[in-house]
Amino acid sequence: EVQLVESGGGLVKPGGSLRLSCEVSGFTFSNAWMTWVRQAPGKGLEWVGRIKRKIDGETTDYAAPVKGRFTISRDDSKDTLYLQMNSLKTEDTAVYYCVIGVGLSEFDYWGQGTLVTVSS
Amino acid sequence: DIVMTQTPLSSPVTLGQPASISCRSSQSLVNGDGNTYLNWLQQRPGQPPRLLIYKISNRFSGVPDRFSGSGAGTDFTLKISRVEAEDVGVYYCMQGTQLPQTFGQGTRVEIK
């Protein structure tokens, strides 16, 4: 069974930083493209960015609102995905979901999410 | 960016009756590889989203066959043949053809 467990969320002041983690089990992590999606309270879903697997260059893509502030990385030896968030804004407040593509789509399995609150 | 527009935004349904959600994209979702990367997601109350349908009409693992997807180009439909209580939630269409990947606003399915 594929499982994704996010951690690292919390309350941070505007301008601050936070690093989210997502540990994957039940699938060969190094074979997967990984994505972050967020959902502001009571709102819809927003794609944040993704990272391809190593054999595809481990390249990253980002949504315009986070480009230059957020960085996605992965550690295949730890089966873990990261989201480094800098220069946080109040509008970054959301539940952040880690998503794995195991071959059918890029959105095959979702984690439970971790809440990030940016507030003074 | 490709804009995904869902209708209706709310769908009150009687148990056992069908439900249908439409999704329209602002441009064709046919990718250069010939595939159409249109997915449907379900988000039950208090839960993360889960994948229901990928590439227009393929049911994901464990998804009941009362769910079906259809469409082509810019117009797509999710149908639930007979709504059950566990189907209550918000349904999203989304496109993975072009970056940034974008989602519809969501359609809330509730029981009358």
Side-chain angles (χ1 to χ4, degrees):
Chain A
E1 181 189 4
V2 180
Q3 290 192 319
L4 299 89
V5 179
E6 300 98 334
S7 60
L11 174 63
V12 61
K13 287 182 167 50
S17 297
L18 211 56
R19 188 177 84 153
L20 307 184
S21 300
C22 170
E23 189 168 351
V24 176
S25 60
F27 185 76
T28 304
F29 179 75
S30 59
N31 285 346
W33 289 24
M34 300 297 301
T35 297
W36 288 99
V37 174
R38 67 184 181 183
Q39 186 170 36
K43 302 296 185 183
L45 301 169
E46 180 184 22
W47 181 80
V48 173
R50 73 176 181 196
I51 185 166
K52 297 180 181 178
R53 55 189 182 175
K54 197 166 191 174
I55 62 170
D56 294 318
E58 213 168 290
T59 54
T60 52
D61 297 287
Y62 298 94
V66 307
K67 197 168 185 178
R69 300 187 299 123
F70 289 12
T71 302
I72 298 173
S73 61
R74 63 192 297 161
D75 186 337
D76 290 349
S77 69
K78 295 182 179 178
D79 295 339
T80 301
L81 174 73
Y82 302 100
L83 179 64
Q84 177 66 44
M85 303 185 293
N86 299 331
S87 304
L88 281 161
K89 306 175 181 181
T90 55
E91 53 263 42
D92 295 320
T93 294
V95 173
Y96 284 74
Y97 295 105
C98 165
V99 190
I100 188 170
V102 301
L104 299 177
S105 80
E106 291 183 45
F107 299 85
D108 295 338
Y109 295 96
W110 295 61
Q112 288 293 314
T114 186
L115 176 62
V116 172
T117 303
V118 184
S119 174
S120 53
Chain B
D1 297 3
I2 296 178
V3 177
M4 305 297 288
T5 304
Q6 291 182 227
T7 54
L9 297 184
S10 178
S11 179
V13 186
T14 302
L15 285 173
Q17 293 300 302
S20 181
I21 301 169
S22 293
C23 175
R24 178 165 289 179
S25 57
S26 59
Q27 55 188 273
S28 173
L29 299 186
V30 180
N31 195 32
D33 63 6
N35 288 307
T36 300
Y37 295 99
L38 184 284
N39 302 331
W40 289 96
L41 308 170
Q42 176 197 59
Q43 188 172 30
R44 291 171 171 151
Q47 294 295 312
R50 71 159 175 150
L51 181 66
L52 287 181
I53 303 282
Y54 62 97
K55 286 194 280 188
I56 302 177
S57 59
N58 298 277
R59 272 189 302 277
F60 190 61
S61 173
V63 174
D65 59 8
R66 63 179 181 274
F67 290 94
S68 64
S70 62
T74 61
D75 288 286
F76 307 93
T77 303
L78 176 70
K79 291 183 178 174
I80 311 174
S81 59
R82 294 172 304 279
V83 171
E84 298 189 6
E86 66 178 18
D87 300 334
V88 165
V90 180
Y91 292 78
Y92 296 91
C93 64
M94 62 150 301
Q95 64 83 20
T97 293
Q98 182 184 108
L99 294 181
Q101 304 189 31
T102 49
F103 298 84
Q105 323 94 299
T107 296
R108 186 172 302 276
V109 171
E110 56 191 18
I111 305 302
K112 275 184 189 173

